[in-house]
Amino acid sequence: MTATLLHGKELAGALRQATAAHAADLTARGTHPHLTVVTATSDGSSAWYVRSIARAAEKAGLRCTITDLGDDAPAEDIRARLTELSADPDVHGIILQTPLPKGTHLEDLASAIAPAKDVDGANPLSLGRLASGLPAFAPATAEAVVALLDHHGVALHGRHVAVVGRSTVVGKPAAHLLLDRHATVTVCHSRTADLAAITSTADVLVAAVGRPGLITPAHVRPGATVIDVGTNPTDDGGLVGDVDPSVMSTAGALTPVPGGVGPVTTALLLRHTTLAADAS
Ligand code: NAP
């Protein structure tokens, strides 16, 4: 068996096209959607990612401003900038990019982002609302997991989904979104006693860990759908996921890295910004 590749390009393209049309309409009515990305890191791959968001935003007709506070920015400066942007009527979406300076915490700082502008669902209020079934922006990566499964016609109702990873950015919000879709969800993490015993019973496996090759054929039920969220830089400047390539012979379907979850995540960030602008 060779797994079908579940590419993200087509879905990302459709989302970007719809967002561009929405942004053009809003701009014609006097509201030009404006996304701001606040960074406080000298990490090269993060800078590359932020530039790619800015390029995608501009292509879709959104404004994008990057504010770099430097990798030694104190927590109070980051918090103050987020508070200022939250109060600025000209700003519709705010992303606080990770990694953050040592000793600071995303959830703590992101609580300064107004929920209405929290387009990457980083404010703990957004996760709380999501978990309570109330309207909120979900973290774009978690939403991208479900959007990709829907796009490729993978049923969720009543199926067992194993999510490996319990971060507030991916694992936990993905679990809530999947529960909302009536999947039976098991969340695994670094202390899970026998990971393969659990994941190999899942119809759908979502790997969101950050460890190349962690998921092997022993972790995958034959024919299962595997969503690889991991993005791990390689020495030669490439990117690999958490799923070992040998899983191609066990899984029924698998997302590629790059080219799976990543492009959909970026497209959803832009969609969220346009929705936030529309609601402003
Ligand atoms: P994170 O905050 O470091 O969380 C990693 C999770 O994996 C934790 O819950 C951890 O468990 C768990 N874990 C670590 N080792 C494990 C093991 N051996 N077995 C089972 N679980 C294990 O990472 P994150 O921010 O969620 O990101 C996860 C991956 O997704 C990274 O590769 C990141 O680059 C990627 N990502 C991709 C996108 C995208 O758009 N494609 C966006 C965001 C993130 P504990 O909680 O017990 O420590």
Side-chain angles (χ1 to χ4, degrees), residues 49 98 140-142 144 164-171 188-192 195 207-211 214 228-233 240-242 260-266:
Y49 177 63
T98 56
T141 306
V164 189
R166 58 173 165 180
S167 73
T168 52
V169 184
V170 193
C188 307
H189 46 78
S190 67
R191 322 295 157 89
T192 297
L195 185 65
V209 176
R211 283 178 190 241
L214 177 78
D228 192 352
V229 180
T231 48
N232 307 293
V240 294
D242 292 340
V261 174
V264 180
T265 298
T266 307

Short mmCIF file of all heavy atoms in Angstrom, two decimals, residues 49 98 140-142 144 164-171 188-192 195 207-211 214 228-233 240-242 260-266, ligand 1:
data_model
loop_
_atom_site.label_atom_id
_atom_site.label_comp_id
_atom_site.label_asym_id
_atom_site.label_seq_id
_atom_site.Cartn_x
_atom_site.Cartn_y
_atom_site.Cartn_z
N TYR A 49 9.35 32.59 8.25
CA TYR A 49 7.91 32.30 8.33
C TYR A 49 7.12 33.61 8.34
O TYR A 49 6.12 33.75 7.64
CB TYR A 49 7.64 31.48 9.60
CG TYR A 49 6.19 31.18 9.84
CD1 TYR A 49 5.45 30.42 8.94
CD2 TYR A 49 5.54 31.67 10.98
CE1 TYR A 49 4.11 30.15 9.16
CE2 TYR A 49 4.19 31.40 11.20
CZ TYR A 49 3.49 30.65 10.29
OH TYR A 49 2.16 30.39 10.51
N THR A 98 6.26 33.16 17.91
CA THR A 98 7.21 32.45 18.78
C THR A 98 8.44 32.07 17.95
O THR A 98 8.34 32.03 16.72
CB THR A 98 6.57 31.17 19.37
OG1 THR A 98 6.10 30.37 18.28
CG2 THR A 98 5.44 31.51 20.30
N ALA A 140 -4.68 28.98 14.11
CA ALA A 140 -4.84 28.65 12.69
C ALA A 140 -4.35 27.24 12.36
O ALA A 140 -4.94 26.56 11.51
CB ALA A 140 -4.10 29.69 11.85
N THR A 141 -3.30 26.77 13.01
CA THR A 141 -2.78 25.43 12.70
C THR A 141 -3.77 24.35 13.10
O THR A 141 -4.00 23.38 12.36
CB THR A 141 -1.44 25.19 13.43
OG1 THR A 141 -0.57 26.26 13.10
CG2 THR A 141 -0.80 23.88 13.00
N ALA A 142 -4.39 24.53 14.27
CA ALA A 142 -5.37 23.54 14.73
C ALA A 142 -6.57 23.52 13.76
O ALA A 142 -7.07 22.45 13.39
CB ALA A 142 -5.82 23.88 16.15
N ALA A 144 -6.47 24.36 10.68
CA ALA A 144 -6.00 23.82 9.40
C ALA A 144 -6.08 22.29 9.38
O ALA A 144 -6.38 21.69 8.33
CB ALA A 144 -4.56 24.28 9.13
N VAL A 164 -1.30 13.57 18.91
CA VAL A 164 -0.05 13.46 19.68
C VAL A 164 0.50 14.87 19.85
O VAL A 164 0.87 15.51 18.86
CB VAL A 164 0.97 12.54 18.99
CG1 VAL A 164 2.16 12.28 19.92
CG2 VAL A 164 0.33 11.22 18.59
N GLY A 165 0.55 15.34 21.09
CA GLY A 165 0.95 16.72 21.39
C GLY A 165 -0.20 17.41 22.10
O GLY A 165 -1.36 17.25 21.70
N ARG A 166 0.11 18.16 23.17
CA ARG A 166 -0.94 18.82 23.95
C ARG A 166 -0.64 20.30 24.17
O ARG A 166 -0.98 20.86 25.22
CB ARG A 166 -1.13 18.11 25.29
CG ARG A 166 0.13 18.06 26.13
CD ARG A 166 -0.13 17.50 27.51
NE ARG A 166 1.13 17.13 28.15
CZ ARG A 166 1.23 16.61 29.35
NH1 ARG A 166 0.14 16.39 30.06
NH2 ARG A 166 2.40 16.30 29.87
N SER A 167 0.05 20.92 23.21
CA SER A 167 0.33 22.35 23.38
C SER A 167 -0.96 23.15 23.22
O SER A 167 -1.93 22.69 22.62
CB SER A 167 1.37 22.82 22.35
OG SER A 167 0.77 22.89 21.08
N THR A 168 -0.93 24.39 23.74
CA THR A 168 -2.11 25.25 23.60
C THR A 168 -2.21 25.80 22.18
O THR A 168 -3.22 26.38 21.80
CB THR A 168 -2.06 26.43 24.60
OG1 THR A 168 -0.81 27.07 24.47
CG2 THR A 168 -2.25 25.95 26.02
N VAL A 169 -1.13 25.67 21.41
CA VAL A 169 -1.09 26.19 20.04
C VAL A 169 -1.69 25.19 19.04
O VAL A 169 -2.34 25.58 18.08
CB VAL A 169 0.38 26.50 19.64
CG1 VAL A 169 0.45 27.14 18.27
CG2 VAL A 169 1.04 27.38 20.67
N VAL A 170 -1.41 23.91 19.26
CA VAL A 170 -1.88 22.92 18.29
C VAL A 170 -2.71 21.79 18.94
O VAL A 170 -3.90 21.65 18.67
CB VAL A 170 -0.72 22.28 17.49
CG1 VAL A 170 -1.27 21.52 16.29
CG2 VAL A 170 0.33 23.27 17.04
N GLY A 171 -2.07 20.99 19.79
CA GLY A 171 -2.71 19.77 20.28
C GLY A 171 -4.06 19.99 20.95
O GLY A 171 -5.07 19.38 20.56
N CYS A 188 -2.42 12.42 23.34
CA CYS A 188 -1.20 11.78 23.84
C CYS A 188 -0.10 12.83 24.00
O CYS A 188 -0.15 13.90 23.37
CB CYS A 188 -0.72 10.71 22.87
SG CYS A 188 -1.97 9.51 22.41
N HIS A 189 0.89 12.52 24.80
CA HIS A 189 1.97 13.48 25.09
C HIS A 189 3.22 12.73 25.51
O HIS A 189 3.26 11.50 25.42
CB HIS A 189 1.49 14.49 26.14
CG HIS A 189 0.80 13.84 27.29
ND1 HIS A 189 1.49 13.21 28.29
CD2 HIS A 189 -0.52 13.65 27.54
CE1 HIS A 189 0.64 12.70 29.15
NE2 HIS A 189 -0.60 12.94 28.71
N SER A 190 4.19 13.48 26.03
CA SER A 190 5.49 12.84 26.30
C SER A 190 5.43 11.82 27.44
O SER A 190 6.33 10.99 27.56
CB SER A 190 6.54 13.91 26.63
OG SER A 190 6.24 14.54 27.85
N ARG A 191 4.42 11.88 28.28
CA ARG A 191 4.31 10.91 29.38
C ARG A 191 3.36 9.76 29.05
O ARG A 191 3.08 8.93 29.91
CB ARG A 191 3.86 11.57 30.68
CG ARG A 191 4.41 12.95 30.96
CD ARG A 191 5.92 12.94 31.17
NE ARG A 191 6.43 14.28 30.88
CZ ARG A 191 6.53 15.25 31.76
NH1 ARG A 191 6.18 15.04 32.99
NH2 ARG A 191 6.99 16.43 31.40
N THR A 192 2.81 9.73 27.86
CA THR A 192 1.92 8.64 27.47
C THR A 192 2.72 7.33 27.52
O THR A 192 3.80 7.24 26.93
CB THR A 192 1.35 8.90 26.05
OG1 THR A 192 0.57 10.08 26.11
CG2 THR A 192 0.51 7.75 25.55
N LEU A 195 2.69 4.83 23.51
CA LEU A 195 2.13 5.66 22.44
C LEU A 195 1.60 4.82 21.29
O LEU A 195 0.46 4.99 20.85
CB LEU A 195 3.21 6.64 21.95
CG LEU A 195 2.78 7.68 20.93
CD1 LEU A 195 1.77 8.64 21.55
CD2 LEU A 195 3.99 8.45 20.41
N ALA A 207 -0.14 14.24 14.29
CA ALA A 207 1.16 14.32 14.97
C ALA A 207 1.57 15.78 15.07
O ALA A 207 1.81 16.44 14.06
CB ALA A 207 2.21 13.52 14.20
N ALA A 208 1.64 16.31 16.30
CA ALA A 208 2.00 17.72 16.52
C ALA A 208 3.01 17.78 17.66
O ALA A 208 2.69 18.19 18.77
CB ALA A 208 0.76 18.54 16.83
N VAL A 209 4.22 17.33 17.37
CA VAL A 209 5.22 17.13 18.43
C VAL A 209 6.47 17.98 18.21
O VAL A 209 6.91 18.71 19.10
CB VAL A 209 5.59 15.63 18.52
CG1 VAL A 209 6.70 15.40 19.55
CG2 VAL A 209 4.36 14.80 18.88
N GLY A 210 7.05 17.87 17.01
CA GLY A 210 8.31 18.56 16.76
C GLY A 210 9.50 17.64 16.91
O GLY A 210 10.57 18.05 17.33
N ARG A 211 9.28 16.34 16.59
CA ARG A 211 10.37 15.35 16.61
C ARG A 211 10.36 14.55 15.32
O ARG A 211 9.47 13.72 15.12
CB ARG A 211 10.19 14.38 17.78
CG ARG A 211 10.59 15.02 19.07
CD ARG A 211 10.36 14.09 20.21
NE ARG A 211 10.54 14.86 21.42
CZ ARG A 211 11.47 14.61 22.33
NH1 ARG A 211 12.26 13.57 22.18
NH2 ARG A 211 11.58 15.37 23.39
N LEU A 214 9.30 10.52 14.74
CA LEU A 214 8.68 9.93 15.94
C LEU A 214 7.60 8.90 15.57
O LEU A 214 7.50 7.85 16.19
CB LEU A 214 8.04 11.03 16.80
CG LEU A 214 7.31 10.51 18.04
CD1 LEU A 214 8.30 10.16 19.14
CD2 LEU A 214 6.30 11.52 18.57
N ASP A 228 0.38 15.28 9.49
CA ASP A 228 1.70 15.59 10.06
C ASP A 228 1.83 17.11 10.23
O ASP A 228 2.00 17.84 9.25
CB ASP A 228 2.79 15.06 9.12
CG ASP A 228 4.16 15.07 9.76
OD1 ASP A 228 4.31 15.63 10.88
OD2 ASP A 228 5.10 14.51 9.15
N VAL A 229 1.72 17.57 11.48
CA VAL A 229 1.79 19.01 11.76
C VAL A 229 3.25 19.45 11.97
O VAL A 229 3.59 20.62 11.82
CB VAL A 229 0.93 19.37 13.00
CG1 VAL A 229 0.98 20.86 13.31
CG2 VAL A 229 -0.51 18.93 12.81
N GLY A 230 4.09 18.51 12.31
CA GLY A 230 5.49 18.82 12.66
C GLY A 230 6.21 19.58 11.56
O GLY A 230 6.03 19.31 10.37
N THR A 231 6.99 20.56 11.97
CA THR A 231 7.87 21.25 11.01
C THR A 231 9.24 21.32 11.68
O THR A 231 9.46 22.11 12.59
CB THR A 231 7.38 22.68 10.67
OG1 THR A 231 7.08 23.37 11.88
CG2 THR A 231 6.13 22.67 9.81
N ASN A 232 10.12 20.45 11.24
CA ASN A 232 11.44 20.35 11.85
C ASN A 232 12.50 20.71 10.80
O ASN A 232 12.61 20.03 9.78
CB ASN A 232 11.67 18.92 12.35
CG ASN A 232 10.53 18.45 13.25
OD1 ASN A 232 10.35 18.96 14.34
ND2 ASN A 232 9.74 17.48 12.78
N PRO A 233 13.27 21.80 11.06
CA PRO A 233 14.28 22.18 10.08
C PRO A 233 15.40 21.13 9.99
O PRO A 233 15.78 20.55 11.00
CB PRO A 233 14.84 23.51 10.63
CG PRO A 233 14.24 23.71 11.97
CD PRO A 233 13.19 22.68 12.22
N VAL A 240 11.27 18.79 7.63
CA VAL A 240 10.61 17.47 7.70
C VAL A 240 9.58 17.49 8.82
O VAL A 240 9.66 18.30 9.74
CB VAL A 240 11.61 16.31 7.93
CG1 VAL A 240 12.55 16.13 6.75
CG2 VAL A 240 12.39 16.48 9.24
N GLY A 241 8.64 16.56 8.72
CA GLY A 241 7.58 16.48 9.74
C GLY A 241 7.97 15.55 10.88
O GLY A 241 9.15 15.25 11.09
N ASP A 242 6.95 15.11 11.62
CA ASP A 242 7.15 14.18 12.74
C ASP A 242 6.99 12.73 12.29
O ASP A 242 7.24 11.81 13.05
CB ASP A 242 6.10 14.44 13.83
CG ASP A 242 6.29 15.78 14.53
OD1 ASP A 242 7.41 16.33 14.46
OD2 ASP A 242 5.32 16.27 15.13
N GLY A 260 1.57 20.51 3.32
CA GLY A 260 0.31 19.98 3.84
C GLY A 260 -0.39 21.01 4.71
O GLY A 260 -1.08 21.90 4.20
N VAL A 261 -0.16 20.91 6.02
CA VAL A 261 -0.83 21.80 6.99
C VAL A 261 -0.36 23.26 6.84
O VAL A 261 -1.16 24.20 6.99
CB VAL A 261 -0.56 21.28 8.43
CG1 VAL A 261 -1.11 22.25 9.47
CG2 VAL A 261 -1.16 19.89 8.61
N GLY A 262 0.93 23.46 6.56
CA GLY A 262 1.53 24.80 6.55
C GLY A 262 0.81 25.82 5.69
O GLY A 262 0.38 26.88 6.20
N PRO A 263 0.62 25.57 4.38
CA PRO A 263 -0.05 26.57 3.54
C PRO A 263 -1.47 26.88 3.97
O PRO A 263 -1.95 28.01 3.83
CB PRO A 263 -0.03 25.95 2.14
CG PRO A 263 0.66 24.65 2.22
CD PRO A 263 1.13 24.42 3.61
N VAL A 264 -2.16 25.88 4.52
CA VAL A 264 -3.55 26.10 4.98
C VAL A 264 -3.54 27.00 6.21
O VAL A 264 -4.40 27.88 6.37
CB VAL A 264 -4.26 24.75 5.25
CG1 VAL A 264 -5.70 24.98 5.70
CG2 VAL A 264 -4.24 23.87 4.00
N THR A 265 -2.55 26.81 7.08
CA THR A 265 -2.42 27.64 8.29
C THR A 265 -2.30 29.11 7.89
O THR A 265 -3.00 29.98 8.41
CB THR A 265 -1.17 27.22 9.09
OG1 THR A 265 -1.34 25.87 9.52
CG2 THR A 265 -0.95 28.10 10.30
N THR A 266 -1.40 29.40 6.96
CA THR A 266 -1.18 30.79 6.54
C THR A 266 -2.47 31.37 5.93
O THR A 266 -2.86 32.49 6.25
CB THR A 266 -0.03 30.87 5.51
OG1 THR A 266 1.10 30.22 6.07
CG2 THR A 266 0.32 32.30 5.15
P1 NAP B 1 5.38 22.08 21.71
O1 NAP B 1 4.74 23.21 22.39
O2 NAP B 1 6.84 21.80 21.92
O3 NAP B 1 4.57 20.76 22.13
C1 NAP B 1 5.02 19.49 21.74
C2 NAP B 1 4.11 18.44 22.32
O4 NAP B 1 4.64 17.16 21.95
C3 NAP B 1 4.02 18.47 23.85
O5 NAP B 1 2.68 18.30 24.26
C4 NAP B 1 4.87 17.27 24.27
O6 NAP B 1 4.43 16.61 25.44
C5 NAP B 1 4.68 16.33 23.09
N1 NAP B 1 5.79 15.38 22.99
C6 NAP B 1 7.12 15.64 23.04
N2 NAP B 1 7.83 14.50 22.92
C7 NAP B 1 6.93 13.51 22.77
C8 NAP B 1 7.04 12.10 22.61
N3 NAP B 1 8.22 11.48 22.57
N4 NAP B 1 5.91 11.37 22.51
C9 NAP B 1 4.68 11.98 22.57
N5 NAP B 1 4.52 13.30 22.71
C10 NAP B 1 5.63 14.06 22.82
O7 NAP B 1 5.18 22.16 20.13
P2 NAP B 1 3.99 22.84 19.27
O8 NAP B 1 4.12 24.30 19.30
O9 NAP B 1 2.69 22.21 19.61
O10 NAP B 1 4.41 22.36 17.81
C11 NAP B 1 4.45 21.00 17.46
C12 NAP B 1 5.04 20.86 16.07
O11 NAP B 1 4.15 21.51 15.16
C13 NAP B 1 6.40 21.54 15.89
O12 NAP B 1 7.17 20.80 14.96
C14 NAP B 1 6.04 22.88 15.28
O13 NAP B 1 7.11 23.42 14.51
C15 NAP B 1 4.88 22.47 14.40
N6 NAP B 1 3.99 23.57 14.06
C16 NAP B 1 3.62 23.67 12.76
C17 NAP B 1 2.77 24.67 12.36
C18 NAP B 1 2.32 24.72 10.93
O14 NAP B 1 1.70 25.68 10.50
N7 NAP B 1 2.57 23.70 10.13
C19 NAP B 1 2.32 25.62 13.28
C20 NAP B 1 2.67 25.47 14.62
C21 NAP B 1 3.51 24.43 15.01
P3 NAP B 1 4.47 17.32 26.89
O15 NAP B 1 3.30 18.26 26.92
O16 NAP B 1 4.33 16.17 27.82
O17 NAP B 1 5.78 18.02 26.99
#
